[in-house]
Amino acid sequence: ESFAFFRSTLDVRHVRNFAELADAVHAYEQSHPRDKVILGFGLSAHTVEERQLPDRNRLDQITTTPLCLVKYDGHASVGNSALINKMPAAVLNDPGFDKDTGWFYLNAFYRAVNYISQSVSLPALFRNLLAGSDYLARHGIALVHPAEGVGFPLDLDVDFMRLANRGLPQTFRIFFQTMDVKKVLRRKLPRIGGCFTTALDGCFGSEDAALKEPYTNNPKNRGTLFYTQEEVNNFAIQANRAGLQIAMHAIGDAAIDQALTAYEAALKDFPRTDHRHIIIHADLMSEAAIERAARLNLCIPLQTPFLYWRQEPVEYLES
């Protein structure tokens, strides 16, 4: 649903400077006069001449319509004052919200996206889903592993995808992004996890991927672990006992170790031979971590196109 939703909104990956960003927003406003919130996707400091991301003051100069622009990595966003003024206190009081810049990081980002998702009508949700399915079909994609559960009321995105499996041409193997095992079992789904609620850390683009050693450009920063080891262990044990396939996002080496430890605890508690548990991304793996993952028979879904990504060039990752 997120993929389908973003396809229907403003794509800013192509803008080369803040002036082009303003032009793109204005063009979208004119062609979508009924939209109460403008949602854009794809901001990157690596692709604009200013070599920095805009803040709320810059966005206030562009429009007075509530505007939310999501960073290319899907882990942070920035809003103008009109959007921020609409946000509930739970979002604005979250430590991940920077009131000076208008940027939402970490859990504040997830909460902000959840709040915006609630404004999407069911007809719009359905139209987006059909258009997204058509786009995938045109590109020859017939099997999709959607990670759902991104804040729609009553988890409607999950249930919409269950219905989609009956009517759309693709096969959808749904991962419910939750740590609430009961929610998954009630829907008789065999899989749990993904990103959002089951992300153990952030990403390199926002420099909140959890590392064992500090970032070279910031000796005080080792990124962020969203959960304690005990919390992740308890989730993995419960989901594994229920016979579910588990997927957890982990990018930095500290987060990867946390996932490995949790899977070790779960499989020691309840051994399974064909569990197919997953560490999504697993970008920064030591040889020891790779060997641990192999012994546990884990699946590591990599996104190799990230190495050829203008929005996050290899030179940035190397530095």
Side-chain angles (χ1 to χ4, degrees):
E1 292 292 351
S2 294
F3 167 76
F5 185 29
F6 279 124
R7 281 200 70 258
S8 72
T9 58
L10 174 62
D11 187 346
V12 297
R13 288 175 295 177
H14 64 284
V15 302
R16 293 172 294 183
N17 50 54
F18 290 167
E20 287 190 3
L21 173 64
D23 291 342
V25 172
H26 295 153
Y28 185 88
E29 274 186 300
Q30 292 177 0
S31 60
H32 298 77
R34 294 183 179 180
D35 282 13
K36 297 179 180 179
V37 176
I38 300 174
L39 181 66
F41 178 79
L43 277 179
S44 172
H46 302 290
T47 55
V48 292
E49 295 168 0
E50 292 83 355
R51 287 295 181 261
Q52 63 181 352
L53 293 165
D55 60 13
R56 70 185 294 179
N57 293 327
R58 173 71 67 170
L59 299 190
D60 286 347
Q61 296 170 19
I62 294 176
T63 182
T64 57
T65 302
L67 172 64
C68 179
L69 298 178
V70 178
K71 200 174 172 189
Y72 69 91
D73 54 33
H75 284 272
S77 65
V78 61
N80 64 355
S81 295
L83 177 94
I84 291 167
N85 291 338
K86 283 181 169 291
M87 286 289 169
V91 177
L92 302 182
N93 293 333
D94 189 287
F97 172 60
D98 187 330
K99 63 180 180 180
D100 294 327
T101 64
W103 274 89
F104 299 88
Y105 298 101
L106 307 173
N107 284 328
F109 167 70
Y110 298 134
R111 287 177 168 178
V113 171
N114 287 349
Y115 177 76
I116 294 171
S117 296
Q118 293 173 20
S119 67
V120 183
S121 68
L122 290 180
L125 200 64
F126 190 66
R127 287 195 301 271
N128 293 343
L129 184 58
L130 292 176
S133 171
D134 289 344
Y135 176 89
L136 295 175
R138 285 196 299 273
H139 287 75
I141 296 173
L143 173 63
V144 184
H145 291 70
E148 301 295 337
V150 292
F152 288 95
L154 304 176
D155 299 309
L156 281 174
D157 55 332
V158 177
D159 293 323
F160 257 54
M161 291 311 305
R162 293 168 66 209
L163 290 173
N165 249 338
R166 302 181 182 181
L168 294 180
Q170 289 85 10
T171 296
F172 295 96
R173 293 178 179 166
I174 303 165
F175 281 85
F176 193 161
Q177 298 179 133
T178 180
M179 286 191 171
D180 189 339
V181 173
K182 291 180 180 178
K183 278 187 176 183
V184 176
L185 296 180
R186 277 200 302 270
R187 290 170 171 81
K188 298 181 179 179
L189 295 172
R191 305 170 188 90
I192 190 170
C195 192
F196 271 54
T197 306
T198 48
L200 304 186
D201 68 343
C203 58
F204 292 134
S206 296
E207 294 176 10
D208 53 7
L211 306 182
K212 294 180 178 181
E213 298 179 14
Y215 283 81
T216 56
N217 62 323
N218 185 353
K220 295 182 179 179
N221 180 31
R222 292 175 182 255
T224 302
L225 286 172
F226 294 143
Y227 300 101
T228 65
Q229 187 67 63
E230 183 181 10
E231 289 173 322
V232 182
N233 285 6
N234 290 341
F235 161 65
I237 288 170
Q238 186 182 5
N240 185 63
R241 284 180 183 174
L244 300 176
Q245 182 186 17
I246 308 168
M248 293 188 286
H249 156 123
I251 284 183
D253 52 358
I256 291 167
D257 277 5
Q258 190 179 62
L260 290 169
T261 299
Y263 283 139
E264 284 170 345
L267 293 170
K268 181 179 180 180
D269 168 78
F270 187 72
R272 292 166 60 195
T273 56
D274 194 29
H275 51 79
R276 304 195 185 199
H277 296 327
I278 293 170
I279 302 178
I280 299 174
H281 305 306
D283 286 357
L284 199 59
M285 294 187 82
S286 64
E287 283 193 32
I290 292 172
E291 290 172 0
R292 287 176 71 189
R295 285 196 299 271
L296 293 167
N297 206 23
L298 298 180
C299 300
I300 308 293
L302 302 171
Q303 290 75 29
T304 51
F306 286 178
L307 296 175
Y308 308 95
W309 203 11
R310 287 178 58 248
Q311 283 74 20
E312 188 176 276
V314 170
E315 293 79 11
Y316 166 75
L317 294 176
E318 288 176 341
S319 69

